[in-house]
Amino acid sequence: MKLLILILICAITTAYKISNLKVPLYADPRRAAELSCHFQMDDEKLHSVKWYREMNEIFRYTPGQEPDIRLFNISGIVVQGGECQVDSCMVRVMPHPVATRAGYTCEVSTEGPKFEIVRETKQMTVVAMPDKDPIIVGAPETVKPGEQILLNCTSALSLPPAEINWYVDGELQKPEPWQRTELGPPRDGGLRASWRVLRYTMPTTASGSLRIRCESILVVEPPVERETTSIITVFSHTENSKFVSTKGISEGHSKSGTRVTIWTLIIILMCLSL
Ligand SMILES: *[C@@H]1O[C@H](CO)[C@@H](O)[C@H](O)[C@H]1NC(C)=O
Ligand SMILES: *[C@@H]1O[C@H](CO)[C@@H](O)[C@H](O)[C@H]1NC(C)=O
């Protein structure tokens, strides 16, 4: 039984197949992406290795032909180059600065008379990640119940531009028509910043603290999220006055305390000099 399993495992691991297909999940539109396909030929003879983007061929390797590597530009990408080793082929593509997702397929076929084909596909999405968390501007440290605050959250440059959502104590704030996500001008690689304002009126019964969260989302597959939270303390009238008065008293004490010490010192010095 054990021997049978061992033979089976050996049979599986030595079979003619694609052993490793490396396609980055995300590609940055400002840099070329490298895709590689590792294959295992077992006793079969390699006829060709092809790369496809969706249904379109972008690369072909046919050992023994001249030239053995051919590249094909198609709409959506520029094929920059490619090379092959005995058990792998690599292709370098520069995606267009448009946030799109596409399937990349590696296809390995054997020589005749069998002409067997194995292929594997992985998806790659063109995304430029924001390099920072979003920034909230305008958050006061403290607010009074009933007071209105105006906040502005800006997300770092990205492709696609980020959608912005506001949450107050975990509750999603529905955007007013004038509070939609706004976009900055396109920069290098089609990247854009985005921002959204939030006007929020403190409930008159508010107390304690308020968690204001700004979430920026890149709507791609799979989505990319970043967020920032500001904590705002709510001061009711009584708490506020208590706070101010204790502060005033303690400061007064310490100041007059220092003054007394200085006067004592001066008197002692005058007495000594006499
Ligand atoms: C693909 O397009 C790029 C840029 O336009 C060019 O430099 C390259 O030679 C083209 N490659 C092929 C195989 O046509
Ligand atoms: C929000 O911030 C962005 C810059 O990050 C600025 O361009 C925009 O004018 C601000 N909006 C408001 C209403 O303050």
Side-chain angles (χ1 to χ4, degrees):
M1 187 62 191
K2 268 183 192 159
L3 191 68
L4 202 77
I5 293 174
L6 206 70
I7 291 169
L8 252 174
I9 290 172
C10 289
I12 290 168
T13 51
T14 59
Y16 148 67
K17 64 172 185 186
I18 291 172
S19 53
N20 193 5
L21 177 68
K22 286 189 193 158
V23 175
L25 194 54
Y26 299 114
D28 191 309
R30 294 163 293 182
R31 289 181 261 290
E34 238 178 62
L35 285 59
S36 68
C37 179
H38 294 255
F39 43 86
Q40 220 165 291
M41 292 312 293
D42 200 9
D43 293 330
E44 306 285 344
K45 199 159 180 288
L46 181 71
H47 172 257
S48 70
V49 178
K50 292 177 183 176
W51 276 100
Y52 295 87
R53 179 189 187 268
E54 298 294 331
M55 304 303 286
N56 304 300
E57 188 177 350
I58 56 171
F59 170 100
R60 185 187 302 178
Y61 170 59
T62 336
Q65 277 192 16
E66 200 49 54
D68 57 359
I69 288 181
R70 278 186 225 174
L71 307 174
F72 311 97
N73 278 341
I74 54 160
S75 65
I77 55 163
V78 171
V79 186
Q80 285 195 335
E83 40 200 74
C84 289
Q85 311 287 325
V86 65
D87 61 350
S88 67
C89 280
M90 182 275 284
V91 63
R92 239 181 350 265
V93 301
M94 188 76 192
H96 280 192
V98 182
T100 48
R101 181 172 138 100
Y104 287 84
T105 302
C106 173
E107 182 187 278
V108 179
S109 58
T110 66
E111 275 290 8
K114 281 206 265 179
F115 289 114
E116 279 180 305
I117 286 177
V118 282
R119 58 169 79 91
E120 209 179 308
T121 304
K122 281 191 179 166
Q123 303 288 325
M124 184 171 87
T125 305
V126 182
V127 175
M129 304 286 177
D131 60 0
K132 307 192 263 299
D133 287 334
I135 295 169
I136 296 176
V137 174
E141 264 176 47
T142 60
V143 288
K144 296 193 199 79
E147 199 180 314
Q148 192 178 71
I149 53 173
L150 184 69
L151 308 178
N152 188 356
C153 178
T154 304
S155 142
L157 292 169
S158 67
L159 180 92
E163 275 292 323
I164 294 179
N165 284 322
W166 285 103
Y167 292 84
V168 176
D169 283 340
E171 199 178 312
L172 176 70
Q173 303 297 300
K174 294 239 171 64
E176 302 291 333
W178 60 276
Q179 292 179 335
R180 296 232 182 85
T181 301
E182 306 274 352
L183 301 185
R187 304 285 188 77
D188 181 30
L191 281 70
R192 284 168 172 235
S194 57
W195 71 83
R196 208 184 112 191
V197 294
L198 171 72
R199 186 158 65 178
Y200 186 79
T201 308
M202 292 295 144
T204 46
T205 54
S207 68
S209 64
L210 215 62
R211 269 180 86 80
I212 309 263
R213 184 157 62 92
C214 166
E215 179 188 77
S216 71
I217 305 177
L218 272 56
V219 189
V220 287
E221 192 53 51
V224 177
E225 280 181 32
R226 297 200 71 150
E227 60 171 57
T228 302
T229 301
S230 277
I231 308 282
I232 301 181
T233 310
V234 185
F235 265 93
S236 71
H237 190 65
T238 46
E239 279 171 307
N240 203 1
S241 54
K242 226 188 287 162
F243 180 73
V244 169
S245 61
T246 36
K247 200 176 167 197
I249 288 165
S250 65
E251 267 181 14
H253 262 304
S254 66
K255 255 188 209 147
S256 57
T258 345
R259 238 177 264 142
V260 169
T261 329
I262 291 171
W263 275 115
T264 319
L265 260 176
I266 293 174
I267 290 167
I268 290 172
L269 281 175
M270 280 166 74
C271 291
L272 282 177
S273 63
L274 277 174

